[in-house]
Amino acid sequence: MFLPPVFTVADPDALIIAVRRGLPVLTYLRPVSVISPRDDDWPDTLATLLRRKPVSVTRWAHEAGLAPATVSRGFLAAFGVTPGRYRLESQLLRAMQLIATTDESLAAIADSCGFADQAHLCRTVRVASGYSPREWKVKSIQDDRM
């Protein structure tokens, strides 16, 4: 098994002479490619992206130079939930806030928050809160009056 080259040598003869004379050799080496430093705060970067829009974690991991399993484990360690669960909870919180504070239709809220359709939004709200979206809106109004 061979490792990929890290440096190229523009003038091999000059490099050999420098080595024989005990001179510094770094000036004779040229990097093959420059690798930008990885963002060590990638869980926060991914979380911000997940709050904005649905993202393929596998595709994002490859673009970030990380293994998908590393991203899943690291995100879970940082946030206590998987990236998929985080995205769903972010969508749900935003949708529930819009239900409680606006007169937008449920279909419009579902679309703007990334749910598949109105039925998907309604099921998710009921499972999470125990209330239908209409009951959630009424309860929110009542809670604001107290």
Side-chain angles (χ1 to χ4, degrees), residues 15-95:
L15 177 65
I16 291 171
I17 292 169
V19 169
R20 287 183 182 157
R21 292 182 180 170
L23 299 173
V25 296
L26 288 179
T27 57
Y28 299 96
L29 303 176
R30 301 285 178 254
V32 170
S33 66
V34 177
I35 300 171
S36 60
R38 193 177 80 228
D39 180 9
D40 287 333
D41 198 20
W42 63 261
D44 284 332
T45 303
L46 179 57
T48 300
L49 194 57
L50 288 170
R51 283 191 301 270
R52 281 193 226 134
K53 63 180 182 177
V55 174
S56 164
V57 174
T58 301
R59 185 177 304 128
W60 186 89
H62 289 301
E63 289 171 3
L66 299 166
T70 300
V71 170
S72 293
R73 282 192 309 269
F75 197 91
L76 181 62
F79 290 96
V81 293
T82 64
R85 180 66 183 206
Y86 185 88
R87 181 180 57 81
L88 179 62
E89 289 178 4
S90 295
Q91 287 175 307
L92 178 62
L93 288 173
R94 186 165 162 244

Side-chain angles (χ1 to χ4, degrees), residues 103-126:
D103 290 327
E104 279 190 71
S105 70
L106 291 176
I109 292 172
D111 184 54
S112 71
C113 293
F115 287 91
D117 54 24
Q118 179 178 333
H120 181 210
L121 169 65
C122 292
R123 282 191 311 273
T124 306
V125 168
R126 183 173 290 281

Side-chain angles (χ1 to χ4, degrees), residues 95-96 98-106 109 118 121-123 125-126 129-142:
M96 291 176 78
L98 289 173
I99 290 167
T101 60
T102 69
D103 290 327
E104 279 190 71
S105 70
L106 291 176
I109 292 172
Q118 179 178 333
L121 169 65
C122 292
R123 282 191 311 273
V125 168
R126 183 173 290 281
S129 69
Y131 299 103
S132 70
R134 181 171 170 40
E135 293 166 338
W136 177 254
K137 185 170 189 76
V138 169
K139 181 180 179 334
S140 298
I141 292 169
Q142 291 171 348

